[in-house]
Amino acid sequence: MPKGYWIARVDVRDAEGYKDYVAASKLAFERFGAKFLARGGEHEKAEGQGRARNVIIEFESLAVAHDCYHSPEYQRAVAIRQKVADGEIVLVEGI
C-alpha cells in the first residue's frame, strides 16, 4: 500500500505562539504514527513563491494522513496554528 504524506509550507508570525501548536499537534502525530522526513532546515526556492518553513510528514497511507489531519486532536492544533502562522498543507499519496 502506498504511503501518505503531508507537505506543509509555513511562515510563522509568532514563534512563541507556534510552540503551543507544536505541543498540541504532537498528540495527533503520535496517535497516527507520523514520521517527519523534513522539518524546517535549509532550503532553496527553485521556483515560485516559497515559505520559510517546509515540512514533509509520512504516514502509513493516505487514509491515515487524512484521518490525522481531520482528527479532533489535530483540529485543536490547527486553531492554534492559524492564529500564529500562514501556510498550506497538501495531503499526497506516495508511489
Side-chain angles (χ1 to χ4, degrees):
M1 173 185 307
K3 302 278 186 177
Y5 299 89
W6 287 17
I7 301 172
R9 302 171 343 116
V10 180
D11 287 329
V12 176
R13 290 182 270 111
D14 174 354
E16 281 302 307
Y18 197 77
K19 291 177 184 178
D20 294 334
Y21 160 74
V22 170
S25 63
K26 184 177 180 182
L27 298 172
F29 293 146
E30 288 177 350
R31 177 178 168 206
F32 290 93
K35 179 180 177 184
F36 285 80
L37 303 180
R39 184 187 307 179
E42 297 251 355
H43 67 280
E44 174 184 338
K45 291 188 275 185
E47 285 188 41
Q49 293 294 321
R51 296 238 183 221
R53 185 170 178 79
N54 300 283
V55 182
I56 301 172
I57 309 170
E58 181 181 80
F59 294 88
E60 181 181 318
S61 67
L62 182 58
V64 174
H66 173 273
D67 291 346
C68 181
Y69 182 83
H70 294 283
S71 70
E73 297 92 341
Y74 190 70
Q75 289 305 303
R76 281 191 288 278
V78 167
I80 296 168
R81 179 178 42 78
Q82 290 177 341
K83 292 177 186 174
V84 298
D86 301 307
E88 302 85 27
I89 297 176
V90 179
L91 283 58
V92 180
E93 184 175 66
I95 53 172

